[in-house]
Amino acid sequence: DQQVKQNSPSLSVQEGRISILNCDYTNSMFDYFLWYKKYPAEGPTFLISISSIKDKNEDGRFTVFLNKSAKHLSLHIVPSQPGDSAVYFCAASYNNNDMRFGAGTRLTVKP
Amino acid sequence: DTGVSQDPRHKITKRGQNVTFRCDPISEHNRLYWYRQTLGQGPEFLTYFQNEAQLEKSRLLSDRFSAERPKGSFSTLEIQRTEQGDSAMYLCASSYQGIHSPLHFGNGTRLTVT
């Protein structure tokens, strides 16, 4: 059951521009949302999170936006850097239980 | 390095054989999770432990799979009578019990069943 969906398998942006990665979810019970970054041959690394009581969380170049009515969240990276090139996973959980992941979006930042 | 450690990194086995993987979580974390990831997909939940208690198992986890965390520290995941469809990356993660704690992943064990 695909409760967390990332509909764009890939995204390519120019260095210095904004990267916007999108994620949709179907379970309205989710109360905690996260973004993970994954490099080849490594496990996913936690990047940023947001609880359902907020609509925005910012950490340096990374900002996550949550739109509960649309069941949609997005990750903005500004400015994008070549080192940001990786696969990004959206994840969600409720009541501190197991976390569900999207299929990932491969971001390529071109110099 | 105090991150999540998984062993082995790679395992090649023949169909029908049993395999066992080990995970050592971050020492302060009392929750431990197992996920499976196949090509082009995100991590898929298998099971998780709080201390030594196994609290949840995915219905996708067949009876050939068993996980243990005997002393609430390291965990093992065993797959019996492996099938080619078991070929995947097996990821372990750990976290604090508290509300809204992110999972911290190891680098995974890649299983290839021939």
Side-chain angles (χ1 to χ4, degrees):
Chain A
D1 56 343
Q2 281 282 306
Q3 297 187 47
V4 179
K5 298 179 182 180
Q6 292 177 258
N7 293 319
S8 297
S10 64
L11 174 68
S12 181
V13 299
Q14 207 67 35
E15 181 179 6
R17 306 294 291 268
I18 184 171
S19 295
I20 300 177
L21 296 103
N22 293 303
C23 177
D24 297 293
Y25 61 95
T26 58
N27 190 339
S28 58
M29 298 294 290
F30 286 141
D31 60 3
Y32 184 48
F33 304 89
L34 309 90
W35 285 94
Y36 282 81
K37 176 179 179 180
K38 186 180 183 304
Y39 293 118
E42 295 182 8
T45 302
F46 169 67
L47 192 57
I48 192 170
S49 64
I50 187 168
S51 75
S52 59
I53 62 172
K54 295 185 176 182
D55 55 18
K56 177 183 175 181
N57 188 27
E58 191 172 353
D59 183 2
R61 297 185 297 113
F62 302 90
T63 303
V64 55
F65 295 91
L66 176 62
N67 182 334
K68 289 189 292 293
S69 61
K71 295 191 180 70
H72 177 85
L73 68 157
S74 60
L75 174 68
H76 292 209
I77 307 173
V78 182
S80 301
Q81 300 173 353
D84 296 329
S85 296
V87 177
Y88 289 78
F89 292 101
C90 169
S93 69
Y94 63 95
N95 201 27
N96 212 32
N97 290 322
D98 62 274
M99 206 163 284
R100 303 299 172 107
F101 286 79
T105 296
R106 179 177 300 278
L107 173 66
T108 302
V109 180
K110 298 180 178 178
Chain B
D1 182 15
T2 57
V4 177
S5 177
Q6 291 188 246
D7 183 69
R9 288 297 307 272
H10 304 274
K11 179 69 177 179
I12 300 173
T13 191
K14 292 186 177 179
R15 188 175 53 189
Q17 297 294 306
N18 299 343
V19 294
T20 301
F21 310 139
R22 177 181 170 121
C23 172
D24 287 90
I26 294 172
S27 57
E28 310 89 74
H29 290 175
N30 63 347
R31 284 197 169 185
L32 186 148
Y33 300 76
W34 285 99
Y35 281 80
R36 176 173 64 190
Q37 185 178 15
T38 54
L39 196 63
Q41 299 298 316
E44 178 184 47
F45 171 76
L46 294 178
T47 187
Y48 87 92
F49 294 83
Q50 183 165 298
N51 300 312
E52 65 274 11
Q54 189 172 17
L55 295 189
E56 188 174 349
K57 290 171 59 174
S58 167
R59 63 178 183 274
L60 301 174
L61 203 66
S62 81
D63 57 6
R64 295 185 298 106
F65 287 70
S66 63
E68 294 183 345
R69 195 183 182 197
K71 297 182 179 179
S73 57
F74 74 92
S75 175
T76 58
L77 176 69
E78 181 183 16
I79 309 174
Q80 295 182 329
R81 306 181 302 281
T82 52
E83 302 173 356
Q84 287 187 322
D86 298 331
S87 295
M89 175 72 80
Y90 289 83
L91 293 164
C92 176
S94 67
S95 75
Y96 291 110
Q97 178 180 345
I99 289 291
H100 298 169
S101 297
L103 303 186
H104 297 265
F105 283 88
N107 286 332
T109 293
R110 179 166 295 284
L111 173 66
T112 302
V113 181
T114 62

